[in-house]
PDB file of all heavy atoms in Angstrom:
ATOM      1  N   VAL A 284      95.831  72.439 -33.330  1.00 98.00           N
ATOM      2  CA  VAL A 284      94.517  71.822 -33.087  1.00 98.00           C
ATOM      3  C   VAL A 284      94.744  70.430 -32.515  1.00 98.00           C
ATOM      4  O   VAL A 284      95.411  69.603 -33.141  1.00 98.00           O
ATOM      5  CB  VAL A 284      93.700  71.712 -34.397  1.00 98.00           C
ATOM      6  CG1 VAL A 284      92.289  71.195 -34.078  1.00 98.00           C
ATOM      7  CG2 VAL A 284      93.631  73.053 -35.124  1.00 98.00           C
ATOM      8  N   HIS A 285      94.206  70.186 -31.316  1.00 97.00           N
ATOM      9  CA  HIS A 285      94.430  68.888 -30.657  1.00 97.00           C
ATOM     10  C   HIS A 285      93.207  67.986 -30.819  1.00 97.00           C
ATOM     11  O   HIS A 285      92.094  68.351 -30.440  1.00 97.00           O
ATOM     12  CB  HIS A 285      94.716  69.089 -29.167  1.00 97.00           C
ATOM     13  CG  HIS A 285      95.247  67.847 -28.509  1.00 97.00           C
ATOM     14  ND1 HIS A 285      96.526  67.378 -28.728  1.00 97.00           N
ATOM     15  CD2 HIS A 285      94.672  66.958 -27.650  1.00 97.00           C
ATOM     16  CE1 HIS A 285      96.713  66.263 -28.036  1.00 97.00           C
ATOM     17  NE2 HIS A 285      95.603  65.987 -27.379  1.00 97.00           N
ATOM     18  N   LEU A 286      93.429  66.804 -31.420  1.00 97.00           N
ATOM     19  CA  LEU A 286      92.398  65.768 -31.538  1.00 97.00           C
ATOM     20  C   LEU A 286      92.823  64.618 -30.627  1.00 97.00           C
ATOM     21  O   LEU A 286      93.782  63.906 -30.938  1.00 97.00           O
ATOM     22  CB  LEU A 286      92.273  65.305 -33.002  1.00 97.00           C
ATOM     23  CG  LEU A 286      92.056  66.412 -34.048  1.00 97.00           C
ATOM     24  CD1 LEU A 286      91.810  65.808 -35.433  1.00 97.00           C
ATOM     25  CD2 LEU A 286      90.902  67.338 -33.680  1.00 97.00           C
ATOM     26  N   PRO A 287      92.176  64.439 -29.477  1.00 94.00           N
ATOM     27  CA  PRO A 287      92.778  63.674 -28.372  1.00 94.00           C
ATOM     28  C   PRO A 287      92.636  62.160 -28.381  1.00 94.00           C
ATOM     29  O   PRO A 287      93.167  61.501 -27.492  1.00 94.00           O
ATOM     30  CB  PRO A 287      92.049  64.252 -27.149  1.00 94.00           C
ATOM     31  CG  PRO A 287      90.691  64.611 -27.672  1.00 94.00           C
ATOM     32  CD  PRO A 287      90.900  65.055 -29.093  1.00 94.00           C
ATOM     33  N   TRP A 288      91.908  61.582 -29.364  1.00 91.00           N
ATOM     34  CA  TRP A 288      91.662  60.138 -29.273  1.00 91.00           C
ATOM     35  C   TRP A 288      92.690  59.310 -30.038  1.00 91.00           C
ATOM     36  O   TRP A 288      93.278  59.770 -31.019  1.00 91.00           O
ATOM     37  CB  TRP A 288      90.273  59.814 -29.803  1.00 91.00           C
ATOM     38  CG  TRP A 288      89.194  60.277 -28.878  1.00 91.00           C
ATOM     39  CD1 TRP A 288      88.769  59.660 -27.733  1.00 91.00           C
ATOM     40  CD2 TRP A 288      88.419  61.468 -29.001  1.00 91.00           C
ATOM     41  NE1 TRP A 288      87.771  60.399 -27.139  1.00 91.00           N
ATOM     42  CE2 TRP A 288      87.544  61.517 -27.899  1.00 91.00           C
ATOM     43  CE3 TRP A 288      88.383  62.504 -29.939  1.00 91.00           C
ATOM     44  CZ2 TRP A 288      86.624  62.551 -27.705  1.00 91.00           C
ATOM     45  CZ3 TRP A 288      87.473  63.545 -29.748  1.00 91.00           C
ATOM     46  CH2 TRP A 288      86.616  63.562 -28.643  1.00 91.00           C
ATOM     47  N   CYS A 289      92.897  58.078 -29.572  1.00 86.00           N
ATOM     48  CA  CYS A 289      93.764  57.129 -30.268  1.00 86.00           C
ATOM     49  C   CYS A 289      93.142  55.734 -30.121  1.00 86.00           C
ATOM     50  O   CYS A 289      92.225  55.540 -29.320  1.00 86.00           O
ATOM     51  CB  CYS A 289      95.185  57.151 -29.708  1.00 86.00           C
ATOM     52  SG  CYS A 289      95.280  56.998 -27.929  1.00 86.00           S
ATOM     53  N   LEU A 290      93.658  54.786 -30.906  1.00 80.00           N
ATOM     54  CA  LEU A 290      93.139  53.411 -30.812  1.00 80.00           C
ATOM     55  C   LEU A 290      93.501  52.784 -29.479  1.00 80.00           C
ATOM     56  O   LEU A 290      92.702  52.086 -28.853  1.00 80.00           O
ATOM     57  CB  LEU A 290      93.721  52.555 -31.948  1.00 80.00           C
ATOM     58  CG  LEU A 290      93.131  52.756 -33.341  1.00 80.00           C
ATOM     59  CD1 LEU A 290      93.914  51.935 -34.353  1.00 80.00           C
ATOM     60  CD2 LEU A 290      91.653  52.362 -33.367  1.00 80.00           C
ATOM     61  N   LYS A 291      94.729  53.053 -29.023  1.00 78.00           N
ATOM     62  CA  LYS A 291      95.243  52.413 -27.805  1.00 78.00           C
ATOM     63  C   LYS A 291      96.318  53.317 -27.213  1.00 78.00           C
ATOM     64  O   LYS A 291      97.157  53.850 -27.933  1.00 78.00           O
ATOM     65  CB  LYS A 291      95.838  51.055 -28.182  1.00 78.00           C
ATOM     66  CG  LYS A 291      96.469  50.289 -27.043  1.00 78.00           C
ATOM     67  CD  LYS A 291      96.826  48.868 -27.513  1.00 78.00           C
ATOM     68  CE  LYS A 291      97.729  48.157 -26.529  1.00 78.00           C
ATOM     69  NZ  LYS A 291      99.113  48.106 -26.939  1.00 78.00           N
ATOM     70  N   LYS A 292      96.285  53.509 -25.907  1.00 72.00           N
ATOM     71  CA  LYS A 292      97.275  54.367 -25.239  1.00 72.00           C
ATOM     72  C   LYS A 292      98.605  53.619 -25.168  1.00 72.00           C
ATOM     73  O   LYS A 292      98.676  52.499 -24.646  1.00 72.00           O
ATOM     74  CB  LYS A 292      96.778  54.704 -23.835  1.00 72.00           C
ATOM     75  CG  LYS A 292      97.681  55.636 -23.056  1.00 72.00           C
ATOM     76  CD  LYS A 292      97.434  57.089 -23.394  1.00 72.00           C
ATOM     77  CE  LYS A 292      98.195  58.006 -22.439  1.00 72.00           C
ATOM     78  NZ  LYS A 292      98.073  59.417 -22.814  1.00 72.00           N
ATOM     79  N   CYS A 293      99.667  54.228 -25.703  1.00 77.00           N
ATOM     80  CA  CYS A 293     100.990  53.587 -25.657  1.00 77.00           C
ATOM     81  C   CYS A 293     101.584  53.699 -24.250  1.00 77.00           C
ATOM     82  O   CYS A 293     101.371  54.701 -23.559  1.00 77.00           O
ATOM     83  CB  CYS A 293     101.924  54.238 -26.674  1.00 77.00           C
ATOM     84  SG  CYS A 293     101.399  53.987 -28.381  1.00 77.00           S
ATOM     85  N   PRO A 294     102.348  52.705 -23.818  1.00 70.00           N
ATOM     86  CA  PRO A 294     102.837  52.686 -22.428  1.00 70.00           C
ATOM     87  C   PRO A 294     103.832  53.805 -22.083  1.00 70.00           C
ATOM     88  O   PRO A 294     104.067  54.080 -20.919  1.00 70.00           O
ATOM     89  CB  PRO A 294     103.498  51.304 -22.306  1.00 70.00           C
ATOM     90  CG  PRO A 294     103.773  50.859 -23.707  1.00 70.00           C
ATOM     91  CD  PRO A 294     102.713  51.480 -24.548  1.00 70.00           C
ATOM     92  N   TYR A 295     104.433  54.445 -23.120  1.00 68.00           N
ATOM     93  CA  TYR A 295     105.405  55.516 -22.869  1.00 68.00           C
ATOM     94  C   TYR A 295     104.784  56.906 -22.997  1.00 68.00           C
ATOM     95  O   TYR A 295     105.426  57.909 -22.734  1.00 68.00           O
ATOM     96  CB  TYR A 295     106.578  55.413 -23.863  1.00 68.00           C
ATOM     97  CG  TYR A 295     106.140  55.468 -25.315  1.00 68.00           C
ATOM     98  CD1 TYR A 295     105.945  56.677 -25.948  1.00 68.00           C
ATOM     99  CD2 TYR A 295     105.903  54.296 -26.035  1.00 68.00           C
ATOM    100  CE1 TYR A 295     105.507  56.722 -27.267  1.00 68.00           C
ATOM    101  CE2 TYR A 295     105.473  54.332 -27.346  1.00 68.00           C
ATOM    102  CZ  TYR A 295     105.282  55.547 -27.959  1.00 68.00           C
ATOM    103  OH  TYR A 295     104.843  55.599 -29.258  1.00 68.00           O
ATOM    104  N   CYS A 296     103.503  56.987 -23.412  1.00 71.00           N
ATOM    105  CA  CYS A 296     102.904  58.262 -23.835  1.00 71.00           C
ATOM    106  C   CYS A 296     102.375  59.055 -22.642  1.00 71.00           C
ATOM    107  O   CYS A 296     101.576  58.559 -21.850  1.00 71.00           O
ATOM    108  CB  CYS A 296     101.763  57.996 -24.817  1.00 71.00           C
ATOM    109  SG  CYS A 296     100.931  59.495 -25.336  1.00 71.00           S
ATOM    110  N   ASP A 297     102.822  60.334 -22.550  1.00 67.00           N
ATOM    111  CA  ASP A 297     102.295  61.206 -21.499  1.00 67.00           C
ATOM    112  C   ASP A 297     101.517  62.380 -22.107  1.00 67.00           C
ATOM    113  O   ASP A 297     101.250  63.366 -21.437  1.00 67.00           O
ATOM    114  CB  ASP A 297     103.418  61.711 -20.585  1.00 67.00           C
ATOM    115  CG  ASP A 297     104.352  62.682 -21.285  1.00 67.00           C
ATOM    116  OD1 ASP A 297     104.442  62.653 -22.531  1.00 67.00           O
ATOM    117  OD2 ASP A 297     104.997  63.487 -20.582  1.00 67.00           O
ATOM    118  N   PHE A 298     101.157  62.265 -23.402  1.00 76.00           N
ATOM    119  CA  PHE A 298     100.355  63.304 -24.038  1.00 76.00           C
ATOM    120  C   PHE A 298      98.905  63.193 -23.567  1.00 76.00           C
ATOM    121  O   PHE A 298      98.495  62.177 -23.005  1.00 76.00           O
ATOM    122  CB  PHE A 298     100.385  63.167 -25.565  1.00 76.00           C
ATOM    123  CG  PHE A 298     101.736  63.439 -26.176  1.00 76.00           C
ATOM    124  CD1 PHE A 298     102.098  62.836 -27.371  1.00 76.00           C
ATOM    125  CD2 PHE A 298     102.639  64.287 -25.570  1.00 76.00           C
ATOM    126  CE1 PHE A 298     103.336  63.073 -27.952  1.00 76.00           C
ATOM    127  CE2 PHE A 298     103.881  64.532 -26.128  1.00 76.00           C
ATOM    128  CZ  PHE A 298     104.231  63.920 -27.323  1.00 76.00           C
ATOM    129  N   ASN A 299      98.126  64.234 -23.815  1.00 78.00           N
ATOM    130  CA  ASN A 299      96.707  64.202 -23.484  1.00 78.00           C
ATOM    131  C   ASN A 299      95.977  63.406 -24.559  1.00 78.00           C
ATOM    132  O   ASN A 299      95.369  63.954 -25.470  1.00 78.00           O
ATOM    133  CB  ASN A 299      96.148  65.623 -23.388  1.00 78.00           C
ATOM    134  CG  ASN A 299      94.699  65.621 -22.939  1.00 78.00           C
ATOM    135  OD1 ASN A 299      94.282  64.751 -22.167  1.00 78.00           O
ATOM    136  ND2 ASN A 299      93.907  66.561 -23.430  1.00 78.00           N
ATOM    137  N   SER A 300      96.076  62.072 -24.457  1.00 79.00           N
ATOM    138  CA  SER A 300      95.438  61.195 -25.435  1.00 79.00           C
ATOM    139  C   SER A 300      94.584  60.171 -24.700  1.00 79.00           C
ATOM    140  O   SER A 300      94.902  59.758 -23.579  1.00 79.00           O
ATOM    141  CB  SER A 300      96.485  60.499 -26.316  1.00 79.00           C
ATOM    142  OG  SER A 300      97.355  59.729 -25.525  1.00 79.00           O
ATOM    143  N   HIS A 301      93.486  59.772 -25.349  1.00 81.00           N
ATOM    144  CA  HIS A 301      92.485  58.916 -24.707  1.00 81.00           C
ATOM    145  C   HIS A 301      92.059  57.829 -25.679  1.00 81.00           C
ATOM    146  O   HIS A 301      91.786  58.114 -26.851  1.00 81.00           O
ATOM    147  CB  HIS A 301      91.259  59.754 -24.314  1.00 81.00           C
ATOM    148  CG  HIS A 301      91.607  60.923 -23.426  1.00 81.00           C
ATOM    149  ND1 HIS A 301      91.457  60.901 -22.064  1.00 81.00           N
ATOM    150  CD2 HIS A 301      92.138  62.135 -23.724  1.00 81.00           C
ATOM    151  CE1 HIS A 301      91.861  62.065 -21.558  1.00 81.00           C
ATOM    152  NE2 HIS A 301      92.281  62.823 -22.553  1.00 81.00           N
ATOM    153  N   GLU A 302      91.987  56.586 -25.187  1.00 78.00           N
ATOM    154  CA  GLU A 302      91.530  55.490 -26.046  1.00 78.00           C
ATOM    155  C   GLU A 302      90.071  55.722 -26.424  1.00 78.00           C
ATOM    156  O   GLU A 302      89.261  56.079 -25.572  1.00 78.00           O
ATOM    157  CB  GLU A 302      91.685  54.145 -25.329  1.00 78.00           C
ATOM    158  CG  GLU A 302      93.129  53.728 -25.195  1.00 78.00           C
ATOM    159  CD  GLU A 302      93.307  52.312 -24.644  1.00 78.00           C
ATOM    160  OE1 GLU A 302      92.324  51.543 -24.687  1.00 78.00           O
ATOM    161  OE2 GLU A 302      94.413  51.987 -24.191  1.00 78.00           O
ATOM    162  N   GLN A 303      89.766  55.533 -27.711  1.00 81.00           N
ATOM    163  CA  GLN A 303      88.389  55.751 -28.152  1.00 81.00           C
ATOM    164  C   GLN A 303      87.464  54.717 -27.529  1.00 81.00           C
ATOM    165  O   GLN A 303      87.837  53.558 -27.344  1.00 81.00           O
ATOM    166  CB  GLN A 303      88.299  55.726 -29.672  1.00 81.00           C
ATOM    167  CG  GLN A 303      88.590  54.367 -30.309  1.00 81.00           C
ATOM    168  CD  GLN A 303      88.322  54.365 -31.804  1.00 81.00           C
ATOM    169  OE1 GLN A 303      88.550  55.350 -32.475  1.00 81.00           O
ATOM    170  NE2 GLN A 303      87.836  53.258 -32.318  1.00 81.00           N
ATOM    171  N   ALA A 304      86.260  55.147 -27.211  1.00 74.00           N
ATOM    172  CA  ALA A 304      85.266  54.239 -26.625  1.00 74.00           C
ATOM    173  C   ALA A 304      84.713  53.317 -27.710  1.00 74.00           C
ATOM    174  O   ALA A 304      84.934  53.540 -28.901  1.00 74.00           O
ATOM    175  CB  ALA A 304      84.146  55.055 -25.992  1.00 74.00           C
ATOM    176  N   ALA A 305      83.977  52.298 -27.267  1.00 68.00           N
ATOM    177  CA  ALA A 305      83.426  51.312 -28.206  1.00 68.00           C
ATOM    178  C   ALA A 305      82.546  51.976 -29.265  1.00 68.00           C
ATOM    179  O   ALA A 305      82.474  51.535 -30.403  1.00 68.00           O
ATOM    180  CB  ALA A 305      82.638  50.261 -27.439  1.00 68.00           C
ATOM    181  N   GLY A 306      81.888  53.069 -28.884  1.00 73.00           N
ATOM    182  CA  GLY A 306      80.996  53.750 -29.819  1.00 73.00           C
ATOM    183  C   GLY A 306      81.712  54.628 -30.824  1.00 73.00           C
ATOM    184  O   GLY A 306      81.070  55.261 -31.664  1.00 73.00           O
ATOM    185  N   GLY A 307      83.040  54.689 -30.722  1.00 84.00           N
ATOM    186  CA  GLY A 307      83.809  55.518 -31.655  1.00 84.00           C
ATOM    187  C   GLY A 307      83.999  56.946 -31.150  1.00 84.00           C
ATOM    188  O   GLY A 307      83.696  57.259 -30.000  1.00 84.00           O
ATOM    189  N   VAL A 308      84.475  57.800 -32.019  1.00 91.00           N
ATOM    190  CA  VAL A 308      84.832  59.177 -31.664  1.00 91.00           C
ATOM    191  C   VAL A 308      83.691  60.122 -32.064  1.00 91.00           C
ATOM    192  O   VAL A 308      83.190  60.030 -33.192  1.00 91.00           O
ATOM    193  CB  VAL A 308      86.132  59.589 -32.395  1.00 91.00           C
ATOM    194  CG1 VAL A 308      86.435  61.053 -32.193  1.00 91.00           C
ATOM    195  CG2 VAL A 308      87.302  58.727 -31.910  1.00 91.00           C
ATOM    196  N   PRO A 309      83.274  61.033 -31.164  1.00 95.00           N
ATOM    197  CA  PRO A 309      82.212  61.994 -31.510  1.00 95.00           C
ATOM    198  C   PRO A 309      82.770  63.118 -32.394  1.00 95.00           C
ATOM    199  O   PRO A 309      82.903  64.270 -31.970  1.00 95.00           O
ATOM    200  CB  PRO A 309      81.758  62.518 -30.144  1.00 95.00           C
ATOM    201  CG  PRO A 309      82.969  62.405 -29.278  1.00 95.00           C
ATOM    202  CD  PRO A 309      83.741  61.208 -29.778  1.00 95.00           C
ATOM    203  N   GLU A 310      83.099  62.775 -33.644  1.00 95.00           N
ATOM    204  CA  GLU A 310      83.839  63.688 -34.517  1.00 95.00           C
ATOM    205  C   GLU A 310      83.147  65.037 -34.714  1.00 95.00           C
ATOM    206  O   GLU A 310      83.768  66.089 -34.574  1.00 95.00           O
ATOM    207  CB  GLU A 310      84.085  63.035 -35.889  1.00 95.00           C
ATOM    208  CG  GLU A 310      85.019  61.846 -35.836  1.00 95.00           C
ATOM    209  CD  GLU A 310      85.365  61.322 -37.237  1.00 95.00           C
ATOM    210  OE1 GLU A 310      85.108  62.029 -38.236  1.00 95.00           O
ATOM    211  OE2 GLU A 310      85.920  60.207 -37.322  1.00 95.00           O
ATOM    212  N   GLN A 311      81.844  65.005 -35.054  1.00 97.00           N
ATOM    213  CA  GLN A 311      81.171  66.262 -35.408  1.00 97.00           C
ATOM    214  C   GLN A 311      81.005  67.177 -34.197  1.00 97.00           C
ATOM    215  O   GLN A 311      81.216  68.382 -34.278  1.00 97.00           O
ATOM    216  CB  GLN A 311      79.819  65.976 -36.074  1.00 97.00           C
ATOM    217  CG  GLN A 311      79.936  65.176 -37.366  1.00 97.00           C
ATOM    218  CD  GLN A 311      80.954  65.751 -38.354  1.00 97.00           C
ATOM    219  OE1 GLN A 311      81.069  66.963 -38.524  1.00 97.00           O
ATOM    220  NE2 GLN A 311      81.721  64.874 -38.998  1.00 97.00           N
ATOM    221  N   ARG A 312      80.641  66.595 -33.066  1.00 97.00           N
ATOM    222  CA  ARG A 312      80.483  67.421 -31.854  1.00 97.00           C
ATOM    223  C   ARG A 312      81.826  68.012 -31.441  1.00 97.00           C
ATOM    224  O   ARG A 312      81.902  69.154 -31.000  1.00 97.00           O
ATOM    225  CB  ARG A 312      79.887  66.593 -30.711  1.00 97.00           C
ATOM    226  CG  ARG A 312      79.579  67.462 -29.482  1.00 97.00           C
ATOM    227  CD  ARG A 312      78.668  66.742 -28.490  1.00 97.00           C
ATOM    228  NE  ARG A 312      78.131  67.680 -27.517  1.00 97.00           N
ATOM    229  CZ  ARG A 312      78.658  67.901 -26.299  1.00 97.00           C
ATOM    230  NH1 ARG A 312      79.728  67.232 -25.916  1.00 97.00           N
ATOM    231  NH2 ARG A 312      78.112  68.774 -25.480  1.00 97.00           N
ATOM    232  N   TYR A 313      82.877  67.204 -31.596  1.00 97.00           N
ATOM    233  CA  TYR A 313      84.200  67.701 -31.207  1.00 97.00           C
ATOM    234  C   TYR A 313      84.622  68.860 -32.113  1.00 97.00           C
ATOM    235  O   TYR A 313      85.143  69.873 -31.634  1.00 97.00           O
ATOM    236  CB  TYR A 313      85.231  66.570 -31.236  1.00 97.00           C
ATOM    237  CG  TYR A 313      86.559  67.011 -30.628  1.00 97.00           C
ATOM    238  CD1 TYR A 313      86.711  67.100 -29.246  1.00 97.00           C
ATOM    239  CD2 TYR A 313      87.638  67.380 -31.427  1.00 97.00           C
ATOM    240  CE1 TYR A 313      87.903  67.522 -28.675  1.00 97.00           C
ATOM    241  CE2 TYR A 313      88.822  67.808 -30.869  1.00 97.00           C
ATOM    242  CZ  TYR A 313      88.961  67.883 -29.496  1.00 97.00           C
ATOM    243  OH  TYR A 313      90.137  68.325 -28.939  1.00 97.00           O
ATOM    244  N   VAL A 314      84.412  68.729 -33.415  1.00 98.00           N
ATOM    245  CA  VAL A 314      84.764  69.827 -34.327  1.00 98.00           C
ATOM    246  C   VAL A 314      83.906  71.061 -34.030  1.00 98.00           C
ATOM    247  O   VAL A 314      84.409  72.195 -34.049  1.00 98.00           O
ATOM    248  CB  VAL A 314      84.651  69.394 -35.808  1.00 98.00           C
ATOM    249  CG1 VAL A 314      84.839  70.587 -36.744  1.00 98.00           C
ATOM    250  CG2 VAL A 314      85.703  68.326 -36.116  1.00 98.00           C
ATOM    251  N   ASP A 315      82.627  70.855 -33.698  1.00 98.00           N
ATOM    252  CA  ASP A 315      81.782  71.988 -33.280  1.00 98.00           C
ATOM    253  C   ASP A 315      82.431  72.716 -32.097  1.00 98.00           C
ATOM    254  O   ASP A 315      82.473  73.952 -32.060  1.00 98.00           O
ATOM    255  CB  ASP A 315      80.391  71.494 -32.840  1.00 98.00           C
ATOM    256  CG  ASP A 315      79.522  71.014 -34.004  1.00 98.00           C
ATOM    257  OD1 ASP A 315      79.845  71.334 -35.167  1.00 98.00           O
ATOM    258  OD2 ASP A 315      78.520  70.308 -33.737  1.00 98.00           O
ATOM    259  N   ALA A 316      82.919  71.940 -31.133  1.00 98.00           N
ATOM    260  CA  ALA A 316      83.537  72.521 -29.928  1.00 98.00           C
ATOM    261  C   ALA A 316      84.826  73.260 -30.275  1.00 98.00           C
ATOM    262  O   ALA A 316      85.075  74.364 -29.771  1.00 98.00           O
ATOM    263  CB  ALA A 316      83.809  71.417 -28.901  1.00 98.00           C
ATOM    264  N   VAL A 317      85.650  72.660 -31.122  1.00 98.00           N
ATOM    265  CA  VAL A 317      86.919  73.285 -31.515  1.00 98.00           C
ATOM    266  C   VAL A 317      86.672  74.626 -32.216  1.00 98.00           C
ATOM    267  O   VAL A 317      87.367  75.619 -31.962  1.00 98.00           O
ATOM    268  CB  VAL A 317      87.731  72.323 -32.424  1.00 98.00           C
ATOM    269  CG1 VAL A 317      88.828  73.053 -33.171  1.00 98.00           C
ATOM    270  CG2 VAL A 317      88.329  71.200 -31.579  1.00 98.00           C
ATOM    271  N   ILE A 318      85.664  74.666 -33.089  1.00 98.00           N
ATOM    272  CA  ILE A 318      85.374  75.908 -33.811  1.00 98.00           C
ATOM    273  C   ILE A 318      84.780  76.953 -32.865  1.00 98.00           C
ATOM    274  O   ILE A 318      85.094  78.147 -32.965  1.00 98.00           O
ATOM    275  CB  ILE A 318      84.456  75.631 -35.027  1.00 98.00           C
ATOM    276  CG1 ILE A 318      85.187  74.703 -36.016  1.00 98.00           C
ATOM    277  CG2 ILE A 318      84.046  76.924 -35.716  1.00 98.00           C
ATOM    278  CD1 ILE A 318      86.556  75.196 -36.496  1.00 98.00           C
ATOM    279  N   ALA A 319      83.965  76.516 -31.905  1.00 98.00           N
ATOM    280  CA  ALA A 319      83.455  77.450 -30.885  1.00 98.00           C
ATOM    281  C   ALA A 319      84.611  78.016 -30.064  1.00 98.00           C
ATOM    282  O   ALA A 319      84.647  79.221 -29.742  1.00 98.00           O
ATOM    283  CB  ALA A 319      82.453  76.737 -29.979  1.00 98.00           C
ATOM    284  N   ASP A 320      85.569  77.156 -29.742  1.00 98.00           N
ATOM    285  CA  ASP A 320      86.788  77.556 -29.024  1.00 98.00           C
ATOM    286  C   ASP A 320      87.544  78.617 -29.832  1.00 98.00           C
ATOM    287  O   ASP A 320      87.954  79.665 -29.313  1.00 98.00           O
ATOM    288  CB  ASP A 320      87.642  76.301 -28.807  1.00 98.00           C
ATOM    289  CG  ASP A 320      88.862  76.517 -27.938  1.00 98.00           C
ATOM    290  OD1 ASP A 320      89.110  77.639 -27.481  1.00 98.00           O
ATOM    291  OD2 ASP A 320      89.599  75.511 -27.729  1.00 98.00           O
ATOM    292  N   LEU A 321      87.709  78.344 -31.119  1.00 98.00           N
ATOM    293  CA  LEU A 321      88.410  79.291 -31.999  1.00 98.00           C
ATOM    294  C   LEU A 321      87.685  80.637 -32.044  1.00 98.00           C
ATOM    295  O   LEU A 321      88.310  81.702 -31.935  1.00 98.00           O
ATOM    296  CB  LEU A 321      88.516  78.703 -33.409  1.00 98.00           C
ATOM    297  CG  LEU A 321      89.089  79.619 -34.492  1.00 98.00           C
ATOM    298  CD1 LEU A 321      90.503  80.072 -34.142  1.00 98.00           C
ATOM    299  CD2 LEU A 321      89.090  78.928 -35.847  1.00 98.00           C
ATOM    300  N   GLU A 322      86.370  80.595 -32.187  1.00 98.00           N
ATOM    301  CA  GLU A 322      85.611  81.849 -32.274  1.00 98.00           C
ATOM    302  C   GLU A 322      85.747  82.680 -31.001  1.00 98.00           C
ATOM    303  O   GLU A 322      85.871  83.911 -31.055  1.00 98.00           O
ATOM    304  CB  GLU A 322      84.136  81.555 -32.572  1.00 98.00           C
ATOM    305  CG  GLU A 322      83.934  81.093 -34.012  1.00 98.00           C
ATOM    306  CD  GLU A 322      82.482  80.946 -34.400  1.00 98.00           C
ATOM    307  OE1 GLU A 322      81.624  80.788 -33.497  1.00 98.00           O
ATOM    308  OE2 GLU A 322      82.201  80.975 -35.614  1.00 98.00           O
TER     309      GLU A 322
END
């Protein structure tokens, strides 16, 4: 299960990771999407 957000992108990192926006992480919508993906 991939949760793609981080506080800050590290300069060596080539993973699919994204700095969280000022409004924070859309946790519930993302979990909804992950479970829909699983189904």
Side-chain angles (χ1 to χ4, degrees):
V284 186
H285 193 73
L286 307 186
W288 288 281
C289 50
L290 284 174
K291 177 171 167 257
K292 183 83 171 175
C293 295
Y295 57 85
C296 178
D297 69 337
F298 293 152
N299 184 32
S300 60
H301 304 261
E302 289 187 18
Q303 67 173 35
V308 173
E310 293 186 14
Q311 299 310 320
R312 186 165 194 264
Y313 189 77
V314 173
D315 288 344
V317 163
I318 297 305
D320 187 359
L321 174 59
E322 287 187 338

